[in-house]
Amino acid sequence: MRYTVILSALGTLIIVLTGLLLYIIRKMRGQYRILEQTNKQLAEVDRLKTEFLANVSHELRTPLTVIMGYSELLLEKLIIEPERATDFRYVETIHRKSEDLLNLINDLIELSRIESGRVEMNIKRLSLDEVVRETVEELSTSAAKKEHAVHVVTGPRPLLIKADRGKIKQIISNLLQNAIKYTPKNGKITIRLYSRERKNWIEVEDNGIGIAPEMMEHLYQPFKQGDSSYNKKYEGFGLGLAITKNLVLYHSGTIDVKSTPGIGTTFIVSLPAAEK
């Protein structure tokens, strides 16, 4: 009789627990459907944002190119008319700011391609040393304006990689431009190239303002650029490092950073070495 009561109680308990479990499962399924729908909506919003950025950027680039073209013609005309030096400075400012805006638009287009997974890669075997020296030469005027000393340190043998030449130049250019921008006048910037563990390494070191520890976790997020005080002093929208990191990842590489505020920053990029 006692066993019958116990079995009956156990049966009742099992039924209750089963009912409770089924209720919990139904509630979880309902919450999961809500979460799934929310995720779909967020993904659609993100897609529309990326598409909007790409479309607007393309639309802006065309008239901006025209503005730059005409400002270049005016500069060529005004440069031979010393009495119009003031007009020359005005047009020069228009042209320089147009260039800055065009660079921002190009960054937005590149970022939209990355976020939508539409990055086109033209992979070829190339010399990393050659690409670095070419990029440094192209940015020599920017470095000279701030009287920076830029040194490239390489080994006895060229470092070969399989990569998209334009994308590698963009990586190096973004890191070097950051070093130039965030290093006070008469600074020192060193680019080191070396090979280790079947990888080729690029180090871009400066003795600039450095990066605050609390900003490290936001470093590669778009539209993040140091703290508010940095934003007031240094122009930019914080897209360069976000693009750089993604382009490094597209090449199966890694990017790291070491920085001390007031001392300087070193970005370290590794790329797979091409097989001999």
Side-chain angles (χ1 to χ4, degrees), residues 200-225:
N200 291 328
W201 298 78
I202 310 166
E203 290 187 4
V204 180
E205 179 184 2
D206 65 58
N207 60 345
I209 61 175
I211 302 168
E214 62 270 19
M215 287 307 303
M216 283 295 189
E217 61 180 297
H218 306 297
L219 199 59
Y220 302 108
Q221 293 178 14
F223 306 104
K224 290 284 186 179
Q225 186 214 40

mmCIF file with all atom_site columns, all heavy atoms in Angstrom, residues 200-225:
data_model
loop_
_atom_site.group_PDB
_atom_site.id
_atom_site.type_symbol
_atom_site.label_atom_id
_atom_site.label_alt_id
_atom_site.label_comp_id
_atom_site.label_asym_id
_atom_site.label_entity_id
_atom_site.label_seq_id
_atom_site.pdbx_PDB_ins_code
_atom_site.Cartn_x
_atom_site.Cartn_y
_atom_site.Cartn_z
_atom_site.occupancy
_atom_site.B_iso_or_equiv
_atom_site.pdbx_formal_charge
_atom_site.auth_seq_id
_atom_site.auth_comp_id
_atom_site.auth_asym_id
_atom_site.auth_atom_id
_atom_site.pdbx_PDB_model_num
ATOM 1   N N   . ASN A 1 200 ? 55.908 37.668 -42.688 1.00 0.00 ? 200 ASN A N   1
ATOM 2   C CA  . ASN A 1 200 ? 56.599 38.934 -42.865 1.00 0.00 ? 200 ASN A CA  1
ATOM 3   C C   . ASN A 1 200 ? 55.931 39.985 -41.977 1.00 0.00 ? 200 ASN A C   1
ATOM 4   O O   . ASN A 1 200 ? 54.699 40.057 -41.904 1.00 0.00 ? 200 ASN A O   1
ATOM 5   C CB  . ASN A 1 200 ? 56.562 39.371 -44.329 1.00 0.00 ? 200 ASN A CB  1
ATOM 6   C CG  . ASN A 1 200 ? 57.412 38.470 -45.202 1.00 0.00 ? 200 ASN A CG  1
ATOM 7   O OD1 . ASN A 1 200 ? 58.430 37.933 -44.759 1.00 0.00 ? 200 ASN A OD1 1
ATOM 8   N ND2 . ASN A 1 200 ? 57.013 38.283 -46.450 1.00 0.00 ? 200 ASN A ND2 1
ATOM 9   N N   . TRP A 1 201 ? 56.752 40.772 -41.310 1.00 0.00 ? 201 TRP A N   1
ATOM 10  C CA  . TRP A 1 201 ? 56.248 41.693 -40.305 1.00 0.00 ? 201 TRP A CA  1
ATOM 11  C C   . TRP A 1 201 ? 56.519 43.140 -40.689 1.00 0.00 ? 201 TRP A C   1
ATOM 12  O O   . TRP A 1 201 ? 57.567 43.462 -41.267 1.00 0.00 ? 201 TRP A O   1
ATOM 13  C CB  . TRP A 1 201 ? 56.900 41.400 -38.949 1.00 0.00 ? 201 TRP A CB  1
ATOM 14  C CG  . TRP A 1 201 ? 56.597 40.023 -38.437 1.00 0.00 ? 201 TRP A CG  1
ATOM 15  C CD1 . TRP A 1 201 ? 57.173 38.847 -38.847 1.00 0.00 ? 201 TRP A CD1 1
ATOM 16  C CD2 . TRP A 1 201 ? 55.637 39.666 -37.438 1.00 0.00 ? 201 TRP A CD2 1
ATOM 17  N NE1 . TRP A 1 201 ? 56.629 37.782 -38.161 1.00 0.00 ? 201 TRP A NE1 1
ATOM 18  C CE2 . TRP A 1 201 ? 55.695 38.247 -37.285 1.00 0.00 ? 201 TRP A CE2 1
ATOM 19  C CE3 . TRP A 1 201 ? 54.751 40.400 -36.647 1.00 0.00 ? 201 TRP A CE3 1
ATOM 20  C CZ2 . TRP A 1 201 ? 54.888 37.562 -36.395 1.00 0.00 ? 201 TRP A CZ2 1
ATOM 21  C CZ3 . TRP A 1 201 ? 53.948 39.721 -35.746 1.00 0.00 ? 201 TRP A CZ3 1
ATOM 22  C CH2 . TRP A 1 201 ? 54.011 38.324 -35.623 1.00 0.00 ? 201 TRP A CH2 1
ATOM 23  N N   . ILE A 1 202 ? 55.557 44.008 -40.378 1.00 0.00 ? 202 ILE A N   1
ATOM 24  C CA  . ILE A 1 202 ? 55.688 45.448 -40.581 1.00 0.00 ? 202 ILE A CA  1
ATOM 25  C C   . ILE A 1 202 ? 55.457 46.119 -39.234 1.00 0.00 ? 202 ILE A C   1
ATOM 26  O O   . ILE A 1 202 ? 54.417 45.897 -38.600 1.00 0.00 ? 202 ILE A O   1
ATOM 27  C CB  . ILE A 1 202 ? 54.649 45.987 -41.580 1.00 0.00 ? 202 ILE A CB  1
ATOM 28  C CG1 . ILE A 1 202 ? 54.624 45.152 -42.861 1.00 0.00 ? 202 ILE A CG1 1
ATOM 29  C CG2 . ILE A 1 202 ? 54.901 47.459 -41.889 1.00 0.00 ? 202 ILE A CG2 1
ATOM 30  C CD1 . ILE A 1 202 ? 53.399 45.435 -43.724 1.00 0.00 ? 202 ILE A CD1 1
ATOM 31  N N   . GLU A 1 203 ? 56.411 46.918 -38.811 1.00 0.00 ? 203 GLU A N   1
ATOM 32  C CA  . GLU A 1 203 ? 56.235 47.716 -37.599 1.00 0.00 ? 203 GLU A CA  1
ATOM 33  C C   . GLU A 1 203 ? 56.289 49.194 -37.969 1.00 0.00 ? 203 GLU A C   1
ATOM 34  O O   . GLU A 1 203 ? 57.223 49.631 -38.641 1.00 0.00 ? 203 GLU A O   1
ATOM 35  C CB  . GLU A 1 203 ? 57.326 47.411 -36.569 1.00 0.00 ? 203 GLU A CB  1
ATOM 36  C CG  . GLU A 1 203 ? 57.225 46.030 -35.942 1.00 0.00 ? 203 GLU A CG  1
ATOM 37  C CD  . GLU A 1 203 ? 58.226 45.837 -34.816 1.00 0.00 ? 203 GLU A CD  1
ATOM 38  O OE1 . GLU A 1 203 ? 58.937 46.820 -34.488 1.00 0.00 ? 203 GLU A OE1 1
ATOM 39  O OE2 . GLU A 1 203 ? 58.316 44.723 -34.284 1.00 0.00 ? 203 GLU A OE2 1
ATOM 40  N N   . VAL A 1 204 ? 55.293 49.936 -37.540 1.00 0.00 ? 204 VAL A N   1
ATOM 41  C CA  . VAL A 1 204 ? 55.276 51.381 -37.753 1.00 0.00 ? 204 VAL A CA  1
ATOM 42  C C   . VAL A 1 204 ? 55.327 52.035 -36.375 1.00 0.00 ? 204 VAL A C   1
ATOM 43  O O   . VAL A 1 204 ? 54.352 52.003 -35.621 1.00 0.00 ? 204 VAL A O   1
ATOM 44  C CB  . VAL A 1 204 ? 54.022 51.837 -38.525 1.00 0.00 ? 204 VAL A CB  1
ATOM 45  C CG1 . VAL A 1 204 ? 54.043 53.354 -38.727 1.00 0.00 ? 204 VAL A CG1 1
ATOM 46  C CG2 . VAL A 1 204 ? 53.933 51.129 -39.872 1.00 0.00 ? 204 VAL A CG2 1
ATOM 47  N N   . GLU A 1 205 ? 56.486 52.601 -36.054 1.00 0.00 ? 205 GLU A N   1
ATOM 48  C CA  . GLU A 1 205 ? 56.714 53.159 -34.715 1.00 0.00 ? 205 GLU A CA  1
ATOM 49  C C   . GLU A 1 205 ? 56.855 54.679 -34.788 1.00 0.00 ? 205 GLU A C   1
ATOM 50  O O   . GLU A 1 205 ? 57.528 55.212 -35.672 1.00 0.00 ? 205 GLU A O   1
ATOM 51  C CB  . GLU A 1 205 ? 57.983 52.557 -34.112 1.00 0.00 ? 205 GLU A CB  1
ATOM 52  C CG  . GLU A 1 205 ? 58.321 53.099 -32.736 1.00 0.00 ? 205 GLU A CG  1
ATOM 53  C CD  . GLU A 1 205 ? 59.631 52.545 -32.203 1.00 0.00 ? 205 GLU A CD  1
ATOM 54  O OE1 . GLU A 1 205 ? 60.298 51.763 -32.922 1.00 0.00 ? 205 GLU A OE1 1
ATOM 55  O OE2 . GLU A 1 205 ? 60.002 52.897 -31.072 1.00 0.00 ? 205 GLU A OE2 1
ATOM 56  N N   . ASP A 1 206 ? 56.220 55.371 -33.844 1.00 0.00 ? 206 ASP A N   1
ATOM 57  C CA  . ASP A 1 206 ? 56.373 56.825 -33.778 1.00 0.00 ? 206 ASP A CA  1
ATOM 58  C C   . ASP A 1 206 ? 56.636 57.247 -32.335 1.00 0.00 ? 206 ASP A C   1
ATOM 59  O O   . ASP A 1 206 ? 56.482 56.447 -31.410 1.00 0.00 ? 206 ASP A O   1
ATOM 60  C CB  . ASP A 1 206 ? 55.122 57.536 -34.327 1.00 0.00 ? 206 ASP A CB  1
ATOM 61  C CG  . ASP A 1 206 ? 53.874 57.274 -33.488 1.00 0.00 ? 206 ASP A CG  1
ATOM 62  O OD1 . ASP A 1 206 ? 53.875 57.578 -32.280 1.00 0.00 ? 206 ASP A OD1 1
ATOM 63  O OD2 . ASP A 1 206 ? 52.875 56.763 -34.040 1.00 0.00 ? 206 ASP A OD2 1
ATOM 64  N N   . ASN A 1 207 ? 57.050 58.485 -32.158 1.00 0.00 ? 207 ASN A N   1
ATOM 65  C CA  . ASN A 1 207 ? 57.241 59.035 -30.808 1.00 0.00 ? 207 ASN A CA  1
ATOM 66  C C   . ASN A 1 207 ? 56.217 60.135 -30.556 1.00 0.00 ? 207 ASN A C   1
ATOM 67  O O   . ASN A 1 207 ? 56.512 61.208 -30.058 1.00 0.00 ? 207 ASN A O   1
ATOM 68  C CB  . ASN A 1 207 ? 58.668 59.555 -30.603 1.00 0.00 ? 207 ASN A CB  1
ATOM 69  C CG  . ASN A 1 207 ? 59.032 60.669 -31.572 1.00 0.00 ? 207 ASN A CG  1
ATOM 70  O OD1 . ASN A 1 207 ? 58.346 60.886 -32.583 1.00 0.00 ? 207 ASN A OD1 1
ATOM 71  N ND2 . ASN A 1 207 ? 60.096 61.394 -31.270 1.00 0.00 ? 207 ASN A ND2 1
ATOM 72  N N   . GLY A 1 208 ? 54.964 59.814 -30.942 1.00 0.00 ? 208 GLY A N   1
ATOM 73  C CA  . GLY A 1 208 ? 53.873 60.777 -30.853 1.00 0.00 ? 208 GLY A CA  1
ATOM 74  C C   . GLY A 1 208 ? 53.150 60.774 -29.521 1.00 0.00 ? 208 GLY A C   1
ATOM 75  O O   . GLY A 1 208 ? 53.712 60.388 -28.482 1.00 0.00 ? 208 GLY A O   1
ATOM 76  N N   . ILE A 1 209 ? 51.887 61.178 -29.556 1.00 0.00 ? 209 ILE A N   1
ATOM 77  C CA  . ILE A 1 209 ? 51.118 61.392 -28.328 1.00 0.00 ? 209 ILE A CA  1
ATOM 78  C C   . ILE A 1 209 ? 50.696 60.103 -27.642 1.00 0.00 ? 209 ILE A C   1
ATOM 79  O O   . ILE A 1 209 ? 50.329 60.110 -26.466 1.00 0.00 ? 209 ILE A O   1
ATOM 80  C CB  . ILE A 1 209 ? 49.869 62.245 -28.612 1.00 0.00 ? 209 ILE A CB  1
ATOM 81  C CG1 . ILE A 1 209 ? 48.945 61.532 -29.605 1.00 0.00 ? 209 ILE A CG1 1
ATOM 82  C CG2 . ILE A 1 209 ? 50.276 63.621 -29.118 1.00 0.00 ? 209 ILE A CG2 1
ATOM 83  C CD1 . ILE A 1 209 ? 47.637 62.258 -29.844 1.00 0.00 ? 209 ILE A CD1 1
ATOM 84  N N   . GLY A 1 210 ? 50.725 58.975 -28.373 1.00 0.00 ? 210 GLY A N   1
ATOM 85  C CA  . GLY A 1 210 ? 50.320 57.713 -27.779 1.00 0.00 ? 210 GLY A CA  1
ATOM 86  C C   . GLY A 1 210 ? 48.809 57.558 -27.695 1.00 0.00 ? 210 GLY A C   1
ATOM 87  O O   . GLY A 1 210 ? 48.046 58.453 -28.075 1.00 0.00 ? 210 GLY A O   1
ATOM 88  N N   . ILE A 1 211 ? 48.383 56.407 -27.193 1.00 0.00 ? 211 ILE A N   1
ATOM 89  C CA  . ILE A 1 211 ? 46.958 56.083 -27.103 1.00 0.00 ? 211 ILE A CA  1
ATOM 90  C C   . ILE A 1 211 ? 46.606 55.799 -25.648 1.00 0.00 ? 211 ILE A C   1
ATOM 91  O O   . ILE A 1 211 ? 47.284 55.002 -24.988 1.00 0.00 ? 211 ILE A O   1
ATOM 92  C CB  . ILE A 1 211 ? 46.609 54.849 -27.969 1.00 0.00 ? 211 ILE A CB  1
ATOM 93  C CG1 . ILE A 1 211 ? 47.004 55.103 -29.434 1.00 0.00 ? 211 ILE A CG1 1
ATOM 94  C CG2 . ILE A 1 211 ? 45.117 54.516 -27.871 1.00 0.00 ? 211 ILE A CG2 1
ATOM 95  C CD1 . ILE A 1 211 ? 46.979 53.859 -30.293 1.00 0.00 ? 211 ILE A CD1 1
ATOM 96  N N   . ALA A 1 212 ? 45.558 56.433 -25.156 1.00 0.00 ? 212 ALA A N   1
ATOM 97  C CA  . ALA A 1 212 ? 45.122 56.217 -23.770 1.00 0.00 ? 212 ALA A CA  1
ATOM 98  C C   . ALA A 1 212 ? 44.657 54.779 -23.589 1.00 0.00 ? 212 ALA A C   1
ATOM 99  O O   . ALA A 1 212 ? 43.995 54.225 -24.481 1.00 0.00 ? 212 ALA A O   1
ATOM 100 C CB  . ALA A 1 212 ? 43.997 57.187 -23.428 1.00 0.00 ? 212 ALA A CB  1
ATOM 101 N N   . PRO A 1 213 ? 44.993 54.123 -22.460 1.00 0.00 ? 213 PRO A N   1
ATOM 102 C CA  . PRO A 1 213 ? 44.615 52.719 -22.239 1.00 0.00 ? 213 PRO A CA  1
ATOM 103 C C   . PRO A 1 213 ? 43.126 52.453 -22.408 1.00 0.00 ? 213 PRO A C   1
ATOM 104 O O   . PRO A 1 213 ? 42.735 51.413 -22.954 1.00 0.00 ? 213 PRO A O   1
ATOM 105 C CB  . PRO A 1 213 ? 45.058 52.465 -20.791 1.00 0.00 ? 213 PRO A CB  1
ATOM 106 C CG  . PRO A 1 213 ? 46.155 53.448 -20.552 1.00 0.00 ? 213 PRO A CG  1
ATOM 107 C CD  . PRO A 1 213 ? 45.778 54.667 -21.348 1.00 0.00 ? 213 PRO A CD  1
ATOM 108 N N   . GLU A 1 214 ? 42.274 53.389 -21.973 1.00 0.00 ? 214 GLU A N   1
ATOM 109 C CA  . GLU A 1 214 ? 40.828 53.167 -22.060 1.00 0.00 ? 214 GLU A CA  1
ATOM 110 C C   . GLU A 1 214 ? 40.309 53.192 -23.493 1.00 0.00 ? 214 GLU A C   1
ATOM 111 O O   . GLU A 1 214 ? 39.183 52.770 -23.769 1.00 0.00 ? 214 GLU A O   1
ATOM 112 C CB  . GLU A 1 214 ? 40.067 54.197 -21.222 1.00 0.00 ? 214 GLU A CB  1
ATOM 113 C CG  . GLU A 1 214 ? 40.241 55.641 -21.655 1.00 0.00 ? 214 GLU A CG  1
ATOM 114 C CD  . GLU A 1 214 ? 41.413 56.338 -20.971 1.00 0.00 ? 214 GLU A CD  1
ATOM 115 O OE1 . GLU A 1 214 ? 42.299 55.634 -20.436 1.00 0.00 ? 214 GLU A OE1 1
ATOM 116 O OE2 . GLU A 1 214 ? 41.439 57.584 -20.969 1.00 0.00 ? 214 GLU A OE2 1
ATOM 117 N N   . MET A 1 215 ? 41.134 53.677 -24.434 1.00 0.00 ? 215 MET A N   1
ATOM 118 C CA  . MET A 1 215 ? 40.711 53.724 -25.834 1.00 0.00 ? 215 MET A CA  1
ATOM 119 C C   . MET A 1 215 ? 41.127 52.491 -26.619 1.00 0.00 ? 215 MET A C   1
ATOM 120 O O   . MET A 1 215 ? 40.707 52.319 -27.767 1.00 0.00 ? 215 MET A O   1
ATOM 121 C CB  . MET A 1 215 ? 41.282 54.973 -26.514 1.00 0.00 ? 215 MET A CB  1
ATOM 122 C CG  . MET A 1 215 ? 40.625 56.277 -26.095 1.00 0.00 ? 215 MET A CG  1
ATOM 123 S SD  . MET A 1 215 ? 38.826 56.255 -26.250 1.00 0.00 ? 215 MET A SD  1
ATOM 124 C CE  . MET A 1 215 ? 38.623 55.866 -27.985 1.00 0.00 ? 215 MET A CE  1
ATOM 125 N N   . MET A 1 216 ? 41.954 51.635 -26.027 1.00 0.00 ? 216 MET A N   1
ATOM 126 C CA  . MET A 1 216 ? 42.470 50.478 -26.748 1.00 0.00 ? 216 MET A CA  1
ATOM 127 C C   . MET A 1 216 ? 41.350 49.569 -27.267 1.00 0.00 ? 216 MET A C   1
ATOM 128 O O   . MET A 1 216 ? 41.409 49.060 -28.386 1.00 0.00 ? 216 MET A O   1
ATOM 129 C CB  . MET A 1 216 ? 43.421 49.682 -25.855 1.00 0.00 ? 216 MET A CB  1
ATOM 130 C CG  . MET A 1 216 ? 44.791 50.308 -25.705 1.00 0.00 ? 216 MET A CG  1
ATOM 131 S SD  . MET A 1 216 ? 45.685 50.336 -27.280 1.00 0.00 ? 216 MET A SD  1
ATOM 132 C CE  . MET A 1 216 ? 47.304 50.853 -26.733 1.00 0.00 ? 216 MET A CE  1
ATOM 133 N N   . GLU A 1 217 ? 40.318 49.337 -26.454 1.00 0.00 ? 217 GLU A N   1
ATOM 134 C CA  . GLU A 1 217 ? 39.255 48.415 -26.855 1.00 0.00 ? 217 GLU A CA  1
ATOM 135 C C   . GLU A 1 217 ? 38.388 48.996 -27.973 1.00 0.00 ? 217 GLU A C   1
ATOM 136 O O   . GLU A 1 217 ? 37.663 48.263 -28.643 1.00 0.00 ? 217 GLU A O   1
ATOM 137 C CB  . GLU A 1 217 ? 38.383 48.054 -25.652 1.00 0.00 ? 217 GLU A CB  1
ATOM 138 C CG  . GLU A 1 217 ? 37.687 49.241 -25.000 1.00 0.00 ? 217 GLU A CG  1
ATOM 139 C CD  . GLU A 1 217 ? 36.849 48.820 -23.817 1.00 0.00 ? 217 GLU A CD  1
ATOM 140 O OE1 . GLU A 1 217 ? 35.889 48.052 -23.997 1.00 0.00 ? 217 GLU A OE1 1
ATOM 141 O OE2 . GLU A 1 217 ? 37.176 49.254 -22.683 1.00 0.00 ? 217 GLU A OE2 1
ATOM 142 N N   . HIS A 1 218 ? 38.436 50.317 -28.163 1.00 0.00 ? 218 HIS A N   1
ATOM 143 C CA  . HIS A 1 218 ? 37.639 50.955 -29.225 1.00 0.00 ? 218 HIS A CA  1
ATOM 144 C C   . HIS A 1 218 ? 38.485 51.302 -30.445 1.00 0.00 ? 218 HIS A C   1
ATOM 145 O O   . HIS A 1 218 ? 37.980 51.925 -31.377 1.00 0.00 ? 218 HIS A O   1
ATOM 146 C CB  . HIS A 1 218 ? 37.008 52.244 -28.698 1.00 0.00 ? 218 HIS A CB  1
ATOM 147 C CG  . HIS A 1 218 ? 36.201 52.066 -27.459 1.00 0.00 ? 218 HIS A CG  1
ATOM 148 N ND1 . HIS A 1 218 ? 35.061 51.292 -27.402 1.00 0.00 ? 218 HIS A ND1 1
ATOM 149 C CD2 . HIS A 1 218 ? 36.380 52.553 -26.198 1.00 0.00 ? 218 HIS A CD2 1
ATOM 150 C CE1 . HIS A 1 218 ? 34.567 51.319 -26.185 1.00 0.00 ? 218 HIS A CE1 1
ATOM 151 N NE2 . HIS A 1 218 ? 35.348 52.074 -25.431 1.00 0.00 ? 218 HIS A NE2 1
ATOM 152 N N   . LEU A 1 219 ? 39.737 50.898 -30.444 1.00 0.00 ? 219 LEU A N   1
ATOM 153 C CA  . LEU A 1 219 ? 40.698 51.388 -31.431 1.00 0.00 ? 219 LEU A CA  1
ATOM 154 C C   . LEU A 1 219 ? 40.286 51.108 -32.870 1.00 0.00 ? 219 LEU A C   1
ATOM 155 O O   . LEU A 1 219 ? 40.492 51.940 -33.756 1.00 0.00 ? 219 LEU A O   1
ATOM 156 C CB  . LEU A 1 219 ? 42.070 50.766 -31.150 1.00 0.00 ? 219 LEU A CB  1
ATOM 157 C CG  . LEU A 1 219 ? 43.286 51.468 -31.760 1.00 0.00 ? 219 LEU A CG  1
ATOM 158 C CD1 . LEU A 1 219 ? 43.374 52.900 -31.268 1.00 0.00 ? 219 LEU A CD1 1
ATOM 159 C CD2 . LEU A 1 219 ? 44.555 50.713 -31.403 1.00 0.00 ? 219 LEU A CD2 1
ATOM 160 N N   . TYR A 1 220 ? 39.711 49.924 -33.122 1.00 0.00 ? 220 TYR A N   1
ATOM 161 C CA  . TYR A 1 220 ? 39.391 49.520 -34.490 1.00 0.00 ? 220 TYR A CA  1
ATOM 162 C C   . TYR A 1 220 ? 37.911 49.682 -34.824 1.00 0.00 ? 220 TYR A C   1
ATOM 163 O O   . TYR A 1 220 ? 37.441 49.148 -35.829 1.00 0.00 ? 220 TYR A O   1
ATOM 164 C CB  . TYR A 1 220 ? 39.825 48.074 -34.721 1.00 0.00 ? 220 TYR A CB  1
ATOM 165 C CG  . TYR A 1 220 ? 41.303 47.859 -34.470 1.00 0.00 ? 220 TYR A CG  1
ATOM 166 C CD1 . TYR A 1 220 ? 41.734 47.163 -33.333 1.00 0.00 ? 220 TYR A CD1 1
ATOM 167 C CD2 . TYR A 1 220 ? 42.263 48.361 -35.341 1.00 0.00 ? 220 TYR A CD2 1
ATOM 168 C CE1 . TYR A 1 220 ? 43.091 46.979 -33.080 1.00 0.00 ? 220 TYR A CE1 1
ATOM 169 C CE2 . TYR A 1 220 ? 43.618 48.177 -35.094 1.00 0.00 ? 220 TYR A CE2 1
ATOM 170 C CZ  . TYR A 1 220 ? 44.020 47.488 -33.972 1.00 0.00 ? 220 TYR A CZ  1
ATOM 171 O OH  . TYR A 1 220 ? 45.360 47.309 -33.725 1.00 0.00 ? 220 TYR A OH  1
ATOM 172 N N   . GLN A 1 221 ? 37.188 50.410 -33.977 1.00 0.00 ? 221 GLN A N   1
ATOM 173 C CA  . GLN A 1 221 ? 35.780 50.663 -34.250 1.00 0.00 ? 221 GLN A CA  1
ATOM 174 C C   . GLN A 1 221 ? 35.641 51.892 -35.142 1.00 0.00 ? 221 GLN A C   1
ATOM 175 O O   . GLN A 1 221 ? 36.297 52.913 -34.902 1.00 0.00 ? 221 GLN A O   1
ATOM 176 C CB  . GLN A 1 221 ? 35.006 50.872 -32.946 1.00 0.00 ? 221 GLN A CB  1
ATOM 177 C CG  . GLN A 1 221 ? 34.913 49.636 -32.082 1.00 0.00 ? 221 GLN A CG  1
ATOM 178 C CD  . GLN A 1 221 ? 34.169 49.908 -30.780 1.00 0.00 ? 221 GLN A CD  1
ATOM 179 O OE1 . GLN A 1 221 ? 33.511 50.926 -30.634 1.00 0.00 ? 221 GLN A OE1 1
ATOM 180 N NE2 . GLN A 1 221 ? 34.276 48.992 -29.846 1.00 0.00 ? 221 GLN A NE2 1
ATOM 181 N N   . PRO A 1 222 ? 34.770 51.823 -36.176 1.00 0.00 ? 222 PRO A N   1
ATOM 182 C CA  . PRO A 1 222 ? 34.575 52.998 -37.037 1.00 0.00 ? 222 PRO A CA  1
ATOM 183 C C   . PRO A 1 222 ? 34.065 54.201 -36.248 1.00 0.00 ? 222 PRO A C   1
ATOM 184 O O   . PRO A 1 222 ? 33.311 54.050 -35.290 1.00 0.00 ? 222 PRO A O   1
ATOM 185 C CB  . PRO A 1 222 ? 33.504 52.523 -38.040 1.00 0.00 ? 222 PRO A CB  1
ATOM 186 C CG  . PRO A 1 222 ? 33.581 51.044 -38.012 1.00 0.00 ? 222 PRO A CG  1
ATOM 187 C CD  . PRO A 1 222 ? 33.978 50.667 -36.608 1.00 0.00 ? 222 PRO A CD  1
ATOM 188 N N   . PHE A 1 223 ? 34.501 55.375 -36.665 1.00 0.00 ? 223 PHE A N   1
ATOM 189 C CA  . PHE A 1 223 ? 34.088 56.653 -36.087 1.00 0.00 ? 223 PHE A CA  1
ATOM 190 C C   . PHE A 1 223 ? 34.557 56.848 -34.644 1.00 0.00 ? 223 PHE A C   1
ATOM 191 O O   . PHE A 1 223 ? 34.023 57.676 -33.921 1.00 0.00 ? 223 PHE A O   1
ATOM 192 C CB  . PHE A 1 223 ? 32.565 56.832 -36.162 1.00 0.00 ? 223 PHE A CB  1
ATOM 193 C CG  . PHE A 1 223 ? 32.023 56.668 -37.545 1.00 0.00 ? 223 PHE A CG  1
ATOM 194 C CD1 . PHE A 1 223 ? 31.353 55.510 -37.911 1.00 0.00 ? 223 PHE A CD1 1
ATOM 195 C CD2 . PHE A 1 223 ? 32.215 57.652 -38.499 1.00 0.00 ? 223 PHE A CD2 1
ATOM 196 C CE1 . PHE A 1 223 ? 30.878 55.344 -39.206 1.00 0.00 ? 223 PHE A CE1 1
ATOM 197 C CE2 . PHE A 1 223 ? 31.731 57.502 -39.789 1.00 0.00 ? 223 PHE A CE2 1
ATOM 198 C CZ  . PHE A 1 223 ? 31.071 56.339 -40.137 1.00 0.00 ? 223 PHE A CZ  1
ATOM 199 N N   . LYS A 1 224 ? 35.577 56.067 -34.242 1.00 0.00 ? 224 LYS A N   1
ATOM 200 C CA  . LYS A 1 224 ? 36.205 56.275 -32.945 1.00 0.00 ? 224 LYS A CA  1
ATOM 201 C C   . LYS A 1 224 ? 37.585 56.859 -33.182 1.00 0.00 ? 224 LYS A C   1
ATOM 202 O O   . LYS A 1 224 ? 38.371 56.326 -33.966 1.00 0.00 ? 224 LYS A O   1
ATOM 203 C CB  . LYS A 1 224 ? 36.334 54.952 -32.169 1.00 0.00 ? 224 LYS A CB  1
ATOM 204 C CG  . LYS A 1 224 ? 35.017 54.392 -31.678 1.00 0.00 ? 224 LYS A CG  1
ATOM 205 C CD  . LYS A 1 224 ? 34.525 55.152 -30.468 1.00 0.00 ? 224 LYS A CD  1
ATOM 206 C CE  . LYS A 1 224 ? 33.278 54.506 -29.888 1.00 0.00 ? 224 LYS A CE  1
ATOM 207 N NZ  . LYS A 1 224 ? 32.809 55.230 -28.693 1.00 0.00 ? 224 LYS A NZ  1
ATOM 208 N N   . GLN A 1 225 ? 37.906 57.959 -32.479 1.00 0.00 ? 225 GLN A N   1
ATOM 209 C CA  . GLN A 1 225 ? 39.205 58.596 -32.691 1.00 0.00 ? 225 GLN A CA  1
ATOM 210 C C   . GLN A 1 225 ? 39.678 59.202 -31.387 1.00 0.00 ? 225 GLN A C   1
ATOM 211 O O   . GLN A 1 225 ? 39.467 60.376 -31.093 1.00 0.00 ? 225 GLN A O   1
ATOM 212 C CB  . GLN A 1 225 ? 39.107 59.703 -33.763 1.00 0.00 ? 225 GLN A CB  1
ATOM 213 C CG  . GLN A 1 225 ? 40.457 60.300 -34.129 1.00 0.00 ? 225 GLN A CG  1
ATOM 214 C CD  . GLN A 1 225 ? 40.340 61.769 -34.446 1.00 0.00 ? 225 GLN A CD  1
ATOM 215 O OE1 . GLN A 1 225 ? 39.627 62.505 -33.804 1.00 0.00 ? 225 GLN A OE1 1
ATOM 216 N NE2 . GLN A 1 225 ? 41.070 62.205 -35.464 1.00 0.00 ? 225 GLN A NE2 1
#
